[in-house]
Amino acid sequence: MDDDRLWGFEQSLWIEGPENYREKVDPEVVMVLPRPPFVLAGDAAVGAVADTPTWDRAELTDRTVSRPQEGLIVVGYRVRAEKDGHAGYEAWCTSTIRRIEHEVWRVVQHQQLPALDQEG
């Protein structure tokens, strides 16, 4: 997956809603989210993100990409998400995405650390 497609894939998880999560998040995913129970896996993780807001806009900055082996991509970034024209959420995030088959990728790990201030 090239970088443009990769960042479009990641951004879609912020702005496209629950059906998109179910399509792009692996059933064996592990997530760390900023609310109890904090560490979630599998269906519980997918359900937790499916219950979060679908943002109108999500800006992904401070991007970094690692490809430690064929079919495995790790990203880190800062997200600034908005809804109805108002800043709603800022966090530092990581995701690990693996290739399932040709052109089919799934998130197998995701973590969010809320940004503590507006400057980073």
Side-chain angles (χ1 to χ4, degrees):
M1 180 184 314
D2 68 31
D3 282 2
D4 288 340
R5 183 169 169 225
L6 170 64
W7 291 113
F9 177 99
E10 189 70 19
Q11 185 178 41
S12 78
L13 295 166
W14 290 92
I15 62 174
E16 290 185 17
E19 289 308 313
N20 189 52
Y21 301 135
R22 289 182 181 91
E23 177 186 332
K24 294 180 178 171
V25 175
D26 194 270
E28 296 299 317
V29 70
V30 173
M31 291 190 187
V32 174
L33 300 174
R35 63 182 185 280
F38 302 108
V39 179
L40 300 148
D43 290 339
V46 174
V49 294
D51 289 339
T52 61
T54 300
W55 302 100
D56 296 330
R57 182 174 176 272
E59 179 184 19
L60 281 52
T61 61
D62 300 296
R63 300 173 178 188
T64 189
V65 177
S66 173
R67 291 177 170 84
Q69 70 181 49
E70 181 68 27
L72 190 65
I73 303 172
V74 181
V75 296
Y77 60 95
R78 181 178 185 153
V79 64
R80 289 183 175 105
E82 298 177 2
K83 188 162 187 73
D84 300 325
H86 297 92
Y89 184 64
E90 291 188 42
W92 295 96
C93 302
T94 64
S95 292
T96 304
I97 305 160
R98 75 176 174 127
R99 185 174 53 221
I100 304 300
E101 58 186 65
H102 182 69
E103 300 298 324
V104 178
W105 295 80
R106 298 288 182 268
V107 175
V108 294
Q109 176 277 329
H110 179 74
Q111 180 169 353
Q112 297 178 18
L113 174 65
L116 300 178
D117 62 79
Q118 299 300 317
E119 299 302 315

